[in-house]
Amino acid sequence: MHAGGRRVGTLPVMGTSTEDTEFNYGLLLEQEKTSQLLFELLKELGVNVEYGWELVDTKVVEARADENDGEETYVETVIRRALLGDNTAPEDNMLIGGVDMYAEQENKEYETQTVRSKYLVACDGGRSTVRHKLDIGFSGRTLEHKTLMWDGICETNIVPNGITAVTGTNNKTMIILPLTNGLTRISVEAGPLSPTEDISQTLRELTVERFEALAQEAAHPSTFKVLSTTWLTCFKINERRADQFVYKNRIFLAGDAAHIHSPAGGQGLNTGLQDAHNLAWKLAFVLNGLVKNEGEVLETYREREAMADRAIDVSSKLLQRNRDNRLIARMAMKVLFTVGPLIAKCFKSFSFAPDVSMLKVRYHENVLNRPHDSQPVPAADYQVGVRAQDGVISPIATTTSSITDEKSSVLTSMRLHDLFIGLARFHILIFASDTHLSSATALTLAHNATNFVNQWRAKYTYTSTLQDGYTDKDLFKFHFLITSTSASISTEKTIQSLSQRQIGEGKVFLDDGSMIHKKYGFEAGRGSEEGGIVVLRPDSHIGYRVNGLQDQAWKDVDQFLSSILASQLE
């Protein structure tokens, strides 16, 4: 933070522990570069992105009950492309989250196609044509302020250190973000919208000189001068969310078409990518015939609606924090940035990590997030729908020497999340503590786990040509976690056998200090509770959990999976 021409202080934005995530730091990457990376990956996978088409209309055509031709419900979409020139619509990309429709383009000839598809995912932005055509409400508000955003090279005596908030003598705030290639992005307040103001006209009349003047006012008494400009825009901010993300289980809204807000906190693109991730594996399961009830599974995409509300709330609070010009608020912010670095480790609330990292995302209960029918509901941090926690684990050495032997006991440590590779895989975590690792119980546990997983693999199968880190296409991978370091356990034949298995095939890992057990709500050590099983969805959220490792616990997991998945053996 800079105020009054001097640096007030610096706070860690992502000050979280490596216990929570291996990536306990923040990175800024322009959306353009993210899009290019995804585009290149699609190309490698044989998917061609065809630009220039404009969606004109879409609807769900429902099959009639008296039809005998076997036709099912489908989506019918009309698209068009200009024969000459480009398809840039008037005012395109000028309003962030505007809800007005594109104006019709005159004096252009188009080619038109009607496309029939099983499903349609609307990622067509804040002014989504799909959302309008389906008459889905876009509830929320439009903020009264307008903002200028600029990319380029500038000359200033302000030395940015990461995300830099600058408050000048006019008490308005300018945000400076370092970009790649020596560029800088700056957003600056441009005052309230007047009742009669046409922001399109404001944008047409916008000049670099106007931006430079506002930036200099916000920076004063520091100096600021534009040297070159690559992009300049003006926008108003909407905070809105579509009233529904799922339309007749055939059309789905994602990204800005589903939710819009200010750029504060970097929630927009990241939330949109999570929308896509949440929906993609469910569509894949449906298209591959892997689910019993297509409608039930696709309906669970609604769990993203609460995440959109959360993103809007986070962005709104961060934006308001920057725009609060009251004297008390300004003084409180200066005090925070002055003393915060000294006590940040004691007060995690000074870190923005819990808000912007999305590590605490949790989905509500539904067919994919099902609590146990009879066991007590665990604490909130361990319930179904919670994102899988991470932490450090270690493979156990395949040696007959003591597990406590410093040189041979433990191989290189790794992260629990490193196990969760693979496209559309369920991962089964088996928390064995050290209670079940005597000669007899360890053998029984290994037999049960292997037997049930093999049954599931036989019943629930799919085919794919995509490479994801495994040579097979098994839908299930399973992993044992133990806490014991005793010599008697290390030489136990069953444990030695499990330690030699491949990752995903029931390999055993050491949870040193029982940290992972605790993160998933299981006690560790002899005389403790009976361990348990956690089923992770393909997107690494807890779908089901059960206390215990006896036969009934495995039957409970089997019942959960069979309630969702369609057996290929029937």
Side-chain angles (χ1 to χ4, degrees):
M1 180 182 181
H2 283 249
R6 66 183 185 88
R7 185 176 69 84
V8 177
T10 302
L11 285 178
V13 175
M14 301 295 288
T16 187
S17 167
T18 53
E19 283 296 323
D20 298 323
T21 172
E22 178 181 2
F23 308 102
N24 63 327
Y25 48 84
L27 290 177
L28 297 176
L29 184 65
E30 298 95 308
Q31 181 167 333
E32 178 185 6
K33 287 184 170 56
T34 302
S35 297
Q36 184 61 33
L37 289 170
L38 295 174
F39 174 83
E40 291 170 357
L41 178 58
L42 283 172
K43 190 174 181 179
E44 290 178 13
L45 296 174
V47 178
N48 179 43
V49 179
E50 191 170 354
Y51 290 99
W53 289 96
E54 175 189 4
L55 186 144
V56 178
D57 197 9
T58 190
K59 62 183 177 181
V60 175
V61 179
E62 304 199 37
R64 291 173 49 187
D66 59 350
E67 289 181 343
N68 297 317
D69 59 1
E71 184 65 75
E72 64 175 11
T73 301
Y74 59 89
V75 180
E76 185 176 274
T77 305
V78 179
I79 59 176
R80 71 181 185 182
R81 178 167 61 180
L83 294 173
L84 295 174
D86 61 37
N87 281 272
T88 303
E91 304 166 12
D92 194 14
N93 292 326
M94 294 182 181
L95 308 182
I96 289 187
V99 294
D100 52 321
M101 294 292 288
Y102 288 142
E104 185 68 24
Q105 299 179 71
E106 298 179 356
N107 304 319
K108 279 193 175 183
E109 293 185 22
Y110 296 91
E111 61 172 313
T112 302
Q113 289 187 16
T114 300
V115 180
R116 178 181 293 190
S117 62
K118 285 181 175 290
Y119 305 102
L120 182 142
V121 183
C123 310
D124 53 339
R127 294 177 292 184
S128 169
T129 303
V130 174
R131 193 184 62 242
H132 281 277
K133 291 296 181 181
L134 300 180
D135 197 26
I136 296 176
F138 207 32
S139 302
R141 64 175 183 167
T142 300
L143 304 188
E144 63 180 14
H145 286 78
K146 57 182 180 284
T147 300
L148 302 187
M149 188 169 286
W150 170 90
D151 288 359
I153 299 175
C154 62
E155 184 177 84
T156 176
N157 56 1
I158 300 171
V159 180
N161 182 14
I163 301 172
T164 304
V166 180
T167 302
T169 53
N170 65 354
N171 290 325
K172 290 188 177 180
T173 300
M174 174 171 69
I175 305 296
I176 303 177
L177 302 172
L179 302 181
T180 54
N181 301 323
L183 297 177
T184 300
R185 171 165 296 173
I186 293 176
S187 65
V188 62
E189 298 175 54
L193 286 164
S194 65
T196 59
E197 182 176 357
D198 179 358
I199 196 166
S200 301
Q201 181 68 25
T202 301
L203 181 56
R204 284 191 291 270
E205 296 174 354
L206 180 61
T207 64
V208 173
E209 289 73 22
R210 171 63 176 154
F211 162 76
E212 185 177 51
L214 286 174
Q216 176 60 73
E217 290 176 12
H220 185 77
S222 299
T223 60
F224 180 89
K225 181 177 178 58
V226 171
L227 298 181
S228 64
T229 299
T230 58
W231 182 55
L232 175 62
T233 191
C234 176
F235 58 86
K236 59 184 178 181
I237 292 173
N238 281 271
E239 294 175 346
R240 298 180 182 274
R241 197 259 278 174
D243 293 346
Q244 62 186 85
F245 287 10
V246 181
Y247 182 81
K248 297 185 177 181
N249 283 332
R250 291 285 168 175
I251 298 178
F252 310 89
L253 303 183
D256 287 356
H259 43 79
I260 53 173
H261 44 76
S262 85
Q267 301 294 287
L269 175 62
N270 292 319
T271 304
L273 288 173
Q274 288 194 8
D275 291 344
H277 189 204
N278 183 286
L279 179 60
W281 71 269
K282 296 171 183 177
L283 281 173
F285 272 43
V286 168
L287 292 171
N288 281 279
L290 287 170
V291 298
K292 278 185 175 179
N293 189 317
E294 296 181 7
E296 273 190 346
V297 171
L298 294 177
E299 188 76 14
T300 65
Y301 178 59
R302 292 184 183 275
E303 64 190 2
R304 291 298 303 168
E305 293 173 357
M307 297 306 101
D309 292 337
R310 175 196 169 281
I312 293 170
D313 182 61
V314 169
S315 176
S316 180
K317 286 179 178 177
L318 290 173
L319 179 69
Q320 184 59 39
R321 189 180 301 175
N322 289 332
R323 282 186 168 171
D324 196 336
N325 290 327
R326 294 172 300 170
L327 178 60
I328 294 178
R330 296 199 309 273
M331 292 302 298
M333 185 63 72
K334 290 181 180 180
V335 170
L336 173 64
F337 272 86
T338 302
V339 304
L342 304 177
I343 55 176
K345 293 183 179 180
C346 302
F347 295 92
K348 290 185 178 181
S349 61
F350 285 167
S351 169
F352 300 145
D355 290 331
V356 305
S357 67
M358 305 183 186
L359 294 179
K360 301 299 183 182
V361 165
R362 182 197 171 188
Y363 298 137
H364 57 70
E365 295 176 10
N366 56 40
V367 67
L368 296 175
N369 310 317
R370 185 172 300 174
H372 196 278
D373 291 335
S374 58
Q375 293 183 356
V377 177
D381 288 345
Y382 318 128
Q383 294 174 13
V384 295
V386 171
R387 180 182 180 274
Q389 296 266 14
D390 194 16
V392 178
I393 56 174
S394 303
I396 295 176
T398 56
T399 175
T400 56
S401 63
S402 169
I403 201 167
T404 57
D405 186 294
E406 186 177 55
K407 293 182 180 179
S408 60
S409 63
V410 177
L411 303 178
T412 304
S413 62
M414 58 190 296
R415 306 290 302 198
L416 180 63
H417 276 198
D418 291 339
L419 304 181
F420 305 156
I421 62 171
L423 295 170
R425 314 271 187 172
F426 285 94
H427 287 270
I428 315 295
L429 301 181
I430 304 158
F431 291 87
S433 181
D434 62 357
T435 307
H436 298 267
L437 299 181
S438 67
S439 217
T441 56
L443 188 62
T444 300
L445 177 56
H447 173 78
N448 270 346
T450 304
N451 184 50
F452 272 95
V453 170
N454 284 339
Q455 288 182 42
W456 299 332
R457 287 173 173 175
K459 287 197 297 184
Y460 313 121
T461 61
Y462 75 109
T463 58
S464 172
T465 58
L466 293 178
Q467 301 303 310
D468 66 352
Y470 288 114
T471 56
D472 58 71
K473 297 302 172 189
D474 294 329
L475 209 57
F476 301 91
K477 296 295 178 184
F478 66 117
H479 321 275
F480 288 98
L481 294 168
I482 66 172
T483 61
S484 177
T485 57
S486 67
S488 60
I489 294 300
S490 70
T491 57
E492 214 296 304
K493 290 183 178 180
T494 303
I495 301 304
Q496 282 294 303
S497 176
L498 292 176
S499 68
Q500 296 178 44
R501 292 191 179 189
Q502 297 296 314
I503 291 180
E505 301 302 316
K507 188 176 182 64
V508 64
F509 294 91
L510 175 64
D511 173 20
D512 193 21
S514 309
M515 296 302 296
I516 306 295
H517 278 68
K518 294 173 184 176
K519 285 186 175 185
Y520 283 81
F522 295 105
E523 296 294 332
R526 293 191 178 279
S528 63
E529 294 184 14
E530 63 274 35
I533 307 168
V534 171
V535 180
L536 299 183
R537 306 177 351 171
D539 56 3
S540 299
H541 284 256
I542 296 176
Y544 187 74
R545 60 172 290 140
V546 57
N547 295 328
L549 293 169
Q550 305 305 321
D551 290 355
Q552 187 57 50
W554 290 100
K555 291 177 182 178
D556 290 346
V557 175
D558 180 66
Q559 185 178 26
F560 164 70
L561 294 172
S562 65
S563 70
I564 302 168
L565 301 174
S567 173
Q568 310 301 305
L569 301 179
E570 297 174 359

